[in-house]
Amino acid sequence: MTGYAAATRDLPVASLAAELKSVNGRFLDVQFRLPDELRAVEPALRELIQARVGRGKVECRVSVTPPAGAAPQISVNEALLAALAEASRKVRTAIPDAQPLHVGEALHWPGVLGDDRSALVREALGGADEERIRQEIALFGVKADVAEELNRLGAHLEEVHRVVRAGGVVGKRLDFLMQELNREANTLGSKSVSKDLSDASLEFKLLIEQMREQIQNIE
């Protein structure tokens, strides 16, 4: 289940980049690396991944980059600002000597200020784009899951050992098993989403070819 996938999507208002990495694991462990303005979409992303990936350690990175030269649009959460003002009024009523809430303090209060990036992340992950992300994650899950191929490889190798130990006229049987091993190695290579898996698949195919050459000398 070792895999890697990355994709970018240029939107009219920003560029969306997503990166997924996975390593084998007995249980599903999903970790996110998101900027603060994307934290709100983490539950939706987690749900998408859990629906497609059964196990392994998965790391998801998502970022949004505004267009070059574009100035961010600052917005004020008026409802939260009004609530702060009311809270400040109540405190000063109860404690007349309390200092008033300054503008700088109000602007630094979490959630008071925002920019257009949060609205861009919801636009990017919503509607048709959400379906695209579902498809990408589904494809990643299929490509990253090579457990079935590895199980078949193990079964074929066990059969090779059994046939060799049994002895006798086994040349045709071993040649057939080499074909099966080569088929699984080709499948691993086609599903590879990492250089390590591609290299391992190629090395395995070379070893299979060497074994086939030796088998030609066996009756």
Side-chain angles (χ1 to χ4, degrees):
M1 292 186 65
T2 299
Y4 174 82
T8 59
R9 180 76 178 275
D10 291 327
L11 304 172
V13 290
S15 177
L16 176 68
E19 180 181 285
L20 287 171
K21 298 179 181 178
S22 78
V23 294
N24 195 24
R26 185 176 179 183
F27 305 104
L28 181 61
D29 178 16
V30 183
Q31 298 180 358
F32 291 92
R33 299 292 184 269
L34 307 176
D36 291 340
E37 61 268 21
L38 298 183
R39 289 296 178 186
V41 302
E42 181 175 326
L45 289 174
R46 185 178 299 276
E47 180 180 348
L48 289 173
I49 294 175
Q50 290 176 339
R52 300 295 182 178
V53 182
R55 62 186 179 88
K57 183 176 180 180
V58 180
E59 180 178 306
C60 175
R61 293 176 180 267
V62 181
S63 62
V64 172
T65 304
Q73 301 297 316
I74 303 299
S75 61
V76 177
N77 187 331
E78 297 184 4
L80 179 56
L81 191 61
L84 285 175
E86 177 63 16
S88 177
R89 185 190 65 78
K90 290 181 178 180
V91 170
R92 296 189 66 196
T93 299
I95 309 175
D97 294 336
Q99 295 294 320
L101 185 66
H102 296 291
V103 173
E105 295 171 334
L107 292 178
H108 283 86
W109 193 271
V112 169
L113 287 183
D115 55 36
D116 55 355
R117 287 178 294 180
S118 296
L120 296 178
V121 167
R122 290 188 293 269
E123 176 184 345
L125 295 179
D129 291 328
E130 180 178 347
E131 180 60 28
R132 177 181 174 84
I133 291 176
R134 289 180 184 272
Q135 295 173 359
E136 293 290 341
I137 293 177
L139 178 62
F140 171 78
V142 171
K143 289 180 71 64
D145 188 0
V146 294
E148 185 176 349
E149 287 75 16
L150 293 177
N151 288 336
R152 286 198 295 263
L153 280 173
H156 293 329
L157 289 173
E158 288 181 1
E159 180 64 10
V160 169
H161 290 163
R162 186 195 69 77
V163 171
V164 170
R165 288 194 299 267
V169 181
V170 297
K172 289 185 178 180
R173 179 62 176 172
L174 289 175
D175 187 65
F176 170 76
L177 289 170
M178 292 304 105
Q179 295 178 33
E180 294 299 306
L181 288 172
N182 191 64
R183 180 179 292 109
E184 299 302 333
N186 285 330
T187 303
L188 284 174
S190 65
K191 295 181 69 173
S192 173
V193 290
S194 70
K195 184 179 183 300
D196 289 342
L197 184 56
S198 296
D199 292 344
S201 173
L202 179 59
E203 183 67 21
F204 190 35
K205 290 172 66 175
L206 291 174
L207 291 174
I208 293 172
E209 187 59 31
Q210 292 174 7
M211 288 190 290
R212 291 188 67 177
E213 292 177 357
Q214 297 297 321
I215 289 172
Q216 301 307 312
N217 300 320
I218 300 177
E219 183 179 354

